[in-house]
Amino acid sequence: MPELPEVEVVRRGLERWVAGRTVADAEVLHPRAVRRHLAGADDFVHRLKGHRIGTPARRGKYLWLPLADSGQAILAHLGMSGQLLVQPPDAADEKHLRIRIRFADDVRTELRFVDQRTFGGLSLHDTTDDGLPDVIGHIARDPLDPLFDDEAFHQALRRKRTTIKRALLDQSLISGVGNIYADEALWRSRLHYDRPTTGFTRPRTTELLGHTRDVMNAALAVGGTSFDSLYVNVNGESGYFDRSLDAYGREGEPCKRCTTPMARRAWMNRSSYFCPKCQRAPRIS
DNA sequence: ACTTACTCCTGCACGC
DNA sequence: TGCGTGCAGGAGTAAG
């Protein structure tokens, strides 16, 4: 499940292997992979050809490849199971290969978008003055963005009538956090996922943001989390952070702080993992 | 205006 | 063994 650290690992791989190269041709093998490109697959392919790729950028879980001198960018979201792979042209097609992009140079690699569950996809969009694809203007800056505004986030939390994990997953408040890193940051902060945000104090928000950044940076340092082997970097390699998870996926295992068995609750069509002792439920639930 | 629920999709781990 | 069921869940959109 690619979240911010995993997407950043992919972005770095693209920066190394794809930036500066010119698109020769592209091939869309599954229309759903370009569903956010409203003009359709043929238009997507046609408009890519001949453009040179600039430095890959990222906000939260979105990443994009600017197309030099065009005012446009290829926007990518990996969804649940999307992979961007740099492969030799003669490597066998992956079972779930959705899009192939070939380059006009002598480097013997092509870019492939592979996606089992097809929640992800690529699309082409105009970029705004700050280089952001226009369709992701509603996505908040992420906690590793130097321009992320901690105070504005704190005030937004207090304004909202919501609970803390909902807020962490709300990409218009803070981006890049998904189910895994939300549970990890909450465990480190000793916060229950259902705690209302209304009464959050500034120190509490500051601590939570600190833990969010810490856990993301730690994951980034070891190549991200590959919980179910669906996430890999552009070379097809897994990250190692799954071994360092303190909360996610640890139902029944001892809390690493207090040894109480970790609990799992069905929550918003997914799961929340937490320590029932360290992360007390709010009084009114 | 704001919050919540639904929906898309495939493969795998289950239990009977 | 084979089949049905549940689960993984990001984010746009519809509904409340």
Side-chain angles (χ1 to χ4, degrees):
Chain A
M1 292 136 251
E3 302 179 29
L4 186 155
E6 292 74 37
V7 178
E8 175 60 18
V9 170
V10 171
R11 192 203 66 77
R12 291 176 184 181
L14 295 174
E15 183 169 16
R16 176 165 178 188
W17 301 108
V18 170
R21 302 176 71 183
T22 298
V23 176
D25 197 9
E27 193 181 344
V28 175
L29 295 98
H30 196 306
R32 197 175 142 76
V34 291
R35 69 192 179 284
R36 290 194 72 181
H37 189 84
L38 301 178
D42 291 344
D43 182 80
F44 176 81
V45 170
H46 182 72
R47 286 166 62 190
L48 269 184
K49 287 183 188 174
H51 286 289
R52 189 173 62 83
I53 291 178
T55 304
R58 181 189 55 74
R59 175 176 286 192
K61 302 174 215 176
Y62 280 96
L63 71 84
W64 62 94
L65 309 174
L67 299 179
D69 308 317
S70 76
Q72 297 199 317
I74 307 172
L75 181 65
H77 197 292
L78 303 179
M80 287 294 300
S81 54
Q83 305 174 343
L84 282 164
L85 303 175
V86 176
Q87 294 277 55
D90 56 356
D93 286 3
E94 292 76 7
K95 182 177 180 186
H96 302 292
L97 176 62
R98 310 303 191 193
I99 299 169
R100 183 201 322 272
I101 298 176
R102 295 190 184 87
F103 298 101
D105 54 40
D106 295 332
V107 184
R108 296 277 299 159
T109 58
E110 59 186 31
L111 180 62
R112 298 181 181 182
F113 180 69
V114 176
D115 190 10
Q116 178 198 103
R117 295 177 201 166
T118 70
F119 275 35
L122 306 186
S123 48
L124 265 171
H125 302 280
D126 293 336
T127 51
T128 53
D129 293 340
D130 54 357
L132 200 72
D134 56 11
V135 293
I136 60 166
H138 63 294
I139 300 295
R141 291 185 186 276
D142 61 65
L144 299 191
D145 185 332
L147 295 180
F148 184 88
D149 189 335
D150 288 23
E151 178 61 20
F153 176 68
H154 175 63
Q155 296 303 333
L157 274 189
R158 291 181 58 89
R159 265 198 311 276
K160 290 255 173 191
R161 278 194 306 279
T162 189
T163 48
I164 187 55
K165 188 170 172 183
R166 287 189 124 95
L168 283 177
L169 296 179
D170 184 340
Q171 306 296 302
S172 70
L173 287 180
I174 179 172
S175 68
V177 184
N179 204 37
I180 295 176
Y181 293 104
D183 280 3
E184 294 301 307
L186 290 170
W187 181 84
R188 290 180 177 216
S189 306
R190 304 179 197 235
L191 286 171
H192 190 277
Y193 58 90
D194 247 349
R195 183 168 287 279
T197 59
T198 315
F200 263 49
T201 61
R202 191 172 284 101
R204 173 167 280 169
T205 303
T206 300
E207 186 187 351
L208 176 59
L209 284 173
H211 285 311
T212 305
R213 292 182 172 116
D214 287 349
V215 70
M216 285 182 162
N217 281 318
L220 194 47
V222 294
T225 302
S226 304
F227 194 73
D228 58 7
S229 80
L230 280 179
Y231 158 73
V232 293
N233 69 13
V234 297
N235 298 316
E237 298 155 345
S238 295
Y240 296 105
F241 196 69
D242 57 309
R243 300 168 195 177
S244 304
L245 293 175
D246 294 319
Y248 188 84
R250 299 195 67 246
E251 181 184 17
E253 296 173 44
C255 170
K256 294 185 181 179
R257 266 193 305 259
C258 74
T259 73
T260 301
M262 298 288 289
R264 176 167 75 100
R265 292 281 184 281
W267 181 86
M268 271 181 71
N269 271 337
R270 60 195 76 185
S271 293
S272 274
Y273 296 89
F274 66 107
C275 171
K277 186 174 175 189
C278 295
Q279 300 166 265
R280 295 286 190 182
R283 288 187 299 277
I284 26 175
S285 183

